[in-house]
Amino acid sequence: DVTLNKDYYENVFLYYSFDKGESKFYSKRYSVGIKKNIQKVFPYGAIGLEQILNSKFDYQDSNFDKTILWTPRWSTDLYIGGSNFFNYKDIIFKLAKDYPKVKFVLRPHPLMFGNFIKTGQLSVEEVDEFKKYIKEENNLELDESKEYSDIFWKSDFIIADLSGIVPEYFVTGKPIIYCHSCATFNYVDYSKAIIASSYSVYNSTELVDTVIKLINNQDEKKQERKKCFDEYFDDVKNNSANIIESLLEI
């Protein structure tokens, strides 16, 4: 209801939606244009997911048994935030101490540190100390690079707050530990399905228990993820080709 702005989209002839659910929503909202064949919609818009799949490569770090990716959100605001950075940073550091053969890669949202300094939740000195600590630990790494597909394929699973990279990571087929928060979000159908096939955690105890399970290869939701992928993203690797074909046909 928010992103498909009525004033803008009523003049759009051709729209490539993210998925079939969004395509259905668009078709219903602009039903007259769709029925009269003066508007069209195709569910081939998730190009980012296709790019993730196309960047796949096999990787094994000989120095570590597992690589865990942690992607905290940028804000703790109850309406746009949901970051669990302050809830779980000490837990992540303790897990790194307990499991020296497991590598923990922190990839925060690019706005996170700057926002926490702005809100007064962290000082510049505290951020510097935090980064210094990570740099000095053998199995901790701070990833602030622009490109993230490589670390997706290098990692074994992800610990994630609400983020647009969750569906992108999901198509790798690897486990997701989804960290809920006090913030209230409305999820679309595919997001609900992804979360249902992920490992939901609500507190530090659940986080630790789930991380240990996955470190020990106890992945009970593998088939659920595959079922979800087949239902929502089975043809995503052909999005570009489908877009070209639909344009040529039109």
Side-chain angles (χ1 to χ4, degrees), residues 179-219:
C179 301
H180 292 267
S181 71
C182 295
T184 301
F185 299 109
N186 293 318
Y187 299 104
V188 294
D189 289 344
Y190 78 85
S191 295
K192 292 176 184 175
I194 287 175
I195 294 171
S197 60
S198 300
Y199 296 92
S200 287
V201 300
Y202 293 87
N203 54 57
S204 57
T205 301
E206 292 178 354
L207 176 63
V208 171
D209 289 346
T210 308
V211 168
I212 293 173
K213 280 184 179 181
L214 292 177
I215 287 175
N216 292 312
N217 300 313
Q218 298 175 29
D219 181 11

Side-chain angles (χ1 to χ4, degrees), residues 118-219:
K118 183 180 178 181
T119 59
Q121 291 169 282
L122 285 175
S123 66
V124 174
E125 292 74 22
E126 286 174 322
V127 171
D128 289 341
E129 281 297 314
F130 182 84
K131 292 182 177 182
K132 182 172 180 276
Y133 177 81
I134 289 177
K135 191 173 183 179
E136 291 173 349
E137 293 297 309
N138 184 52
N139 63 332
L140 289 174
E141 180 182 318
L142 178 62
D143 180 5
E144 295 184 286
S145 61
K146 183 178 180 181
E147 172 58 42
Y148 51 84
S149 59
D150 280 1
I151 190 58
F152 276 16
W153 293 110
K154 287 179 179 179
S155 65
D156 293 282
F157 61 91
I158 190 173
I159 301 169
D161 291 337
L162 175 82
S163 170
I165 68 170
V166 169
E168 292 182 292
Y169 194 89
F170 178 79
V171 300
T172 67
K174 300 179 181 186
I176 295 172
I177 299 177
Y178 186 78
C179 301
H180 292 267
S181 71
C182 295
T184 301
F185 299 109
N186 293 318
Y187 299 104
V188 294
D189 289 344
Y190 78 85
S191 295
K192 292 176 184 175
I194 287 175
I195 294 171
S197 60
S198 300
Y199 296 92
S200 287
V201 300
Y202 293 87
N203 54 57
S204 57
T205 301
E206 292 178 354
L207 176 63
V208 171
D209 289 346
T210 308
V211 168
I212 293 173
K213 280 184 179 181
L214 292 177
I215 287 175
N216 292 312
N217 300 313
Q218 298 175 29
D219 181 11

Side-chain angles (χ1 to χ4, degrees), residues 20-236:
K20 294 173 184 176
E22 193 174 279
S23 179
K24 185 178 179 181
F25 181 90
Y26 181 92
S27 297
K28 184 178 180 180
R29 170 170 279 184
Y30 306 101
S31 58
V32 175
I34 295 292
K35 288 175 182 176
K36 294 292 185 181
N37 205 32
I38 58 173
Q39 286 181 289
K40 295 180 183 295
V41 58
F42 297 102
Y44 309 142
I47 301 300
L49 305 188
E50 180 183 6
Q51 291 175 328
I52 293 296
L53 287 174
N54 288 340
S55 68
K56 181 179 180 179
F57 67 96
D58 294 323
Y59 178 83
Q60 179 63 51
D61 190 334
S62 58
N63 296 314
F64 298 98
D65 297 332
K66 298 279 185 189
T67 297
I68 302 173
L69 179 61
W70 179 36
T71 56
R73 192 164 168 79
W74 63 282
S75 170
T76 56
D77 185 277
L78 288 178
Y79 298 101
I80 60 172
S83 176
N84 283 290
F85 175 76
F86 294 103
N87 295 330
Y88 296 147
K89 64 181 178 65
D90 293 336
I91 300 297
I92 297 295
F93 285 167
K94 186 177 186 309
L95 282 166
K97 288 285 189 186
D98 293 341
Y99 293 88
K101 290 296 288 180
V102 174
K103 185 177 183 180
F104 290 80
V105 179
L106 167 62
R107 186 183 171 85
H109 188 284
L111 298 176
M112 190 188 80
F113 288 124
N115 179 64
F116 289 155
I117 290 171
K118 183 180 178 181
T119 59
Q121 291 169 282
L122 285 175
S123 66
V124 174
E125 292 74 22
E126 286 174 322
V127 171
D128 289 341
E129 281 297 314
F130 182 84
K131 292 182 177 182
K132 182 172 180 276
Y133 177 81
I134 289 177
K135 191 173 183 179
E136 291 173 349
E137 293 297 309
N138 184 52
N139 63 332
L140 289 174
E141 180 182 318
L142 178 62
D143 180 5
E144 295 184 286
S145 61
K146 183 178 180 181
E147 172 58 42
Y148 51 84
S149 59
D150 280 1
I151 190 58
F152 276 16
W153 293 110
K154 287 179 179 179
S155 65
D156 293 282
F157 61 91
I158 190 173
I159 301 169
D161 291 337
L162 175 82
S163 170
I165 68 170
V166 169
E168 292 182 292
Y169 194 89
F170 178 79
V171 300
T172 67
K174 300 179 181 186
I176 295 172
I177 299 177
Y178 186 78
C179 301
H180 292 267
S181 71
C182 295
T184 301
F185 299 109
N186 293 318
Y187 299 104
V188 294
D189 289 344
Y190 78 85
S191 295
K192 292 176 184 175
I194 287 175
I195 294 171
S197 60
S198 300
Y199 296 92
S200 287
V201 300
Y202 293 87
N203 54 57
S204 57
T205 301
E206 292 178 354
L207 176 63
V208 171
D209 289 346
T210 308
V211 168
I212 293 173
K213 280 184 179 181
L214 292 177
I215 287 175
N216 292 312
N217 300 313
Q218 298 175 29
D219 181 11
E220 305 134 10
K221 297 212 168 192
K222 189 173 183 178
Q223 290 305 313
E224 287 184 49
R225 292 196 303 276
K226 185 180 184 308
K227 183 179 178 182
C228 179
F229 180 90
D230 291 343
E231 182 175 353
Y232 289 93
F233 307 112
D234 63 320
D235 200 37
V236 73

